[in-house]
Amino acid sequence: MDFAAYVRDIEDFPKQGVIFKDITPLLNNPEALKKACDALLGFTTNMKIDKVVGVDSRGFIFAPMLAERLNAGFVPVRKKGKLPHKTVSEAYELEYGSEILEIHTDAIKKGEKVLIHDDVLATGGTASAVCKLVEKLGGEVVQCNFLIELTFLNGAGKLNGYQIEALLQY
């Protein structure tokens, strides 16, 4: 399936000069949504995965779907102050400033194999922070997978040493 046909460019969003990759047309099409999940799942063939981490907020779309199909738990990583239980946090830089992500301290047990999913790999700051959170809890990141990788931003460079997969590359 040509997944790129279901991604539209929105110019000057969220700020002037940025071309935002909008995945809502893909999410709105049941066949494209299912096939995209199947393709993301295909990246994990022959991997043991205990938990799938979804990154706030668009990572919450596919990560639970992947977790269900992998018979794994789903773990949300959220922006600071959004999780109700005891958390561990990681600060990081992004294109538009800085942010702090958090994960529940009991979400991942030592030695668990973890798949990290987010919608877009851009500069790599978010994904790198999530990898650090998983490792702080003793988890092992087995793969970072994304719907889209913006290769011109070189985000993969911040994830050196981690296996990276993306359905689409721009």
Side-chain angles (χ1 to χ4, degrees), residues 1-6 168:
M1 174 172 263
D2 177 14
F3 295 110
Y6 295 93
L168 294 166

Side-chain angles (χ1 to χ4, degrees), residues 119-140:
D119 66 326
V120 175
L121 173 58
T123 63
T126 303
S128 177
V130 175
C131 290
K132 289 175 185 170
L133 286 172
V134 167
E135 291 170 348
K136 279 182 183 180
L137 297 178
E140 177 189 339

Side-chain angles (χ1 to χ4, degrees), residues 1 3-4 35-36 39-44 66 115-122 143-151 155-156 159 162-170:
M1 174 172 263
F3 295 110
K35 289 192 183 241
L40 290 167
L41 187 66
F43 293 144
T44 66
L66 292 168
L115 168 66
I116 295 172
H117 173 77
D118 202 0
D119 66 326
V120 175
L121 173 58
Q143 185 183 98
C144 298
N145 83 20
F146 305 91
L147 202 61
I148 297 169
E149 179 184 2
L150 303 176
T151 58
L159 297 175
Y162 296 105
Q163 181 180 340
I164 301 166
E165 297 288 349
L167 201 55
L168 294 166
Q169 293 183 324
Y170 292 95

Side-chain angles (χ1 to χ4, degrees), residues 4 15 18 20 23 55 60 65 75 87-88 90 100 134 148:
K15 69 178 202 172
V18 173
F20 183 81
I23 64 169
V55 183
F60 293 173
M65 295 168 63
V75 177
T87 61
V88 61
E90 185 70 32
I100 297 174
V134 167
I148 297 169

